[in-house]
């Protein structure tokens, strides 16, 4: 299955652009679908558990070179910067056993929480079957989708950070 996704990504790169929807079946403005995440520590998190926080769901895999490129930026520029606010970043590893994901987390020096999506059930709530994996979904504090990324492009990544800043600054008291 991993080979299939690598092949799809390679063919997209060689023969042209992704479709306008970038492989998403959701859009900005949609309510986030319900889900239950199975975390690496054995706990579970549902969409309702995340309400009241700005959330980034990051789809990843140890075999994904673009994911490996993006993850240090997510760790430093997103997680370390916002983790003490009403914010959570959750990596969702696709189609890999727990021992592989543990090694991946160690290699990437990732400290943000990681969930397992061994059967693509979470991924397919957001993206078409066969769509590429490197993507981030930003949710506002009410669970509405407010930003979508695909691959790792610095301008889009910076715009995602600006969106997170904007969402976290809403409803904060003004400084005197």
């Amino acid at each position: 299955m991993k080979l299939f996704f690598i092949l799809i990504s390679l063919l997209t790169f060689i023969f042209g652009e992704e479709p306008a929807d970038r492989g998403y079946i959701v859009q900005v403005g949609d309510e986030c679908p319900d889900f239950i995440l199975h975390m690496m520590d054995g706990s579970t998190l549902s969409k309702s558990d995340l309400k009241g926080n700005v959330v980034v769901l990051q789809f990843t895999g140890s075999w994904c070179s673009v994911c490996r490129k993006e993850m240090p930026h997510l760790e430093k520029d997103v997680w370390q910067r916002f983790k003490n606010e009403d914010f959570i970043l959750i990596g969702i590893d696709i189609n890999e056993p727990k021992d592989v994901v543990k090694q991946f987390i160690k290699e990437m020096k990732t400290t943000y929480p990681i969930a397992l999506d061994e059967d693509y059930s979470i991924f397919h709530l957001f993206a078409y079957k066969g769509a590429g994996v490197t993507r981030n979904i930003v949710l506002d504090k009410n669970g509405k989708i407010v930003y979508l990324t695909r691959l790792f492009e610095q301008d889009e990544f910076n715009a995602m950070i600006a969106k997170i800043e904007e969402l976290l600054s809403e409803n904060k008291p003004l400084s005197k």
Side-chain angles (χ1 to χ4, degrees):
M1 193 58 114
K2 291 178 202 173
L3 184 58
F4 172 77
F5 286 107
I6 292 168
L7 182 60
I8 292 294
S9 298
L10 183 61
L11 290 172
T12 299
F13 177 76
I14 292 169
F15 294 109
E17 304 257 337
E18 283 188 308
D21 63 17
R22 301 170 85 192
Y24 278 106
I25 58 175
V26 296
Q27 298 176 356
V28 169
D30 289 353
E31 181 69 25
C32 178
D34 286 326
F35 56 77
I36 296 177
L37 297 173
H38 297 277
M39 306 305 294
M40 286 292 292
D41 67 3
S43 65
T44 59
L45 280 176
S46 67
K47 180 183 101 171
S48 63
D49 294 328
L50 302 173
K51 202 161 192 167
N53 294 289
V54 174
V55 176
V56 175
L57 302 174
Q58 175 234 357
F59 288 97
T60 191
S62 67
W63 43 268
C64 171
S65 63
V66 178
C67 301
R68 286 178 173 272
K69 180 179 175 184
E70 180 185 56
M71 287 176 79
H73 296 280
L74 284 166
E75 176 69 30
K76 178 180 176 271
D77 301 331
V78 178
W79 180 240
Q80 292 303 321
R81 181 172 173 190
F82 300 117
K83 70 180 182 180
N84 294 319
E85 301 190 41
D86 295 332
F87 175 81
I88 189 157
L89 165 62
I90 301 173
I92 303 172
D93 189 275
I94 297 175
N95 195 35
E96 297 186 295
K98 194 172 188 174
D99 60 326
V100 170
V101 178
K102 274 186 181 178
Q103 182 60 35
F104 180 41
I105 292 167
K106 185 177 175 182
E107 286 173 22
M108 298 308 299
K109 299 180 174 126
T110 303
T111 63
Y112 54 87
I114 303 287
L116 301 171
D117 186 14
E118 294 179 89
D119 63 358
Y120 291 88
S121 60
I122 305 300
F123 184 76
H124 290 148
L125 293 173
F126 298 94
Y128 293 108
K129 291 183 180 185
V133 69
T134 308
R135 51 187 76 236
N136 297 296
I137 296 144
V138 182
L139 309 176
D140 70 10
K141 292 181 179 184
N142 295 311
K144 187 170 145 186
I145 297 170
V146 294
Y147 201 80
L148 300 168
T149 72
R150 174 72 181 107
L151 298 170
F152 177 66
E153 198 278 317
Q154 194 64 54
D155 288 341
E156 183 176 63
F157 189 82
N158 291 342
M160 179 182 74
I161 291 172
K163 181 53 118 176
I164 294 166
E165 289 172 338
E166 174 191 326
L167 293 167
L168 289 171
S169 69
E170 291 175 358
N171 302 321
K172 275 192 176 177
L174 297 174
S175 304
K176 292 185 181 182

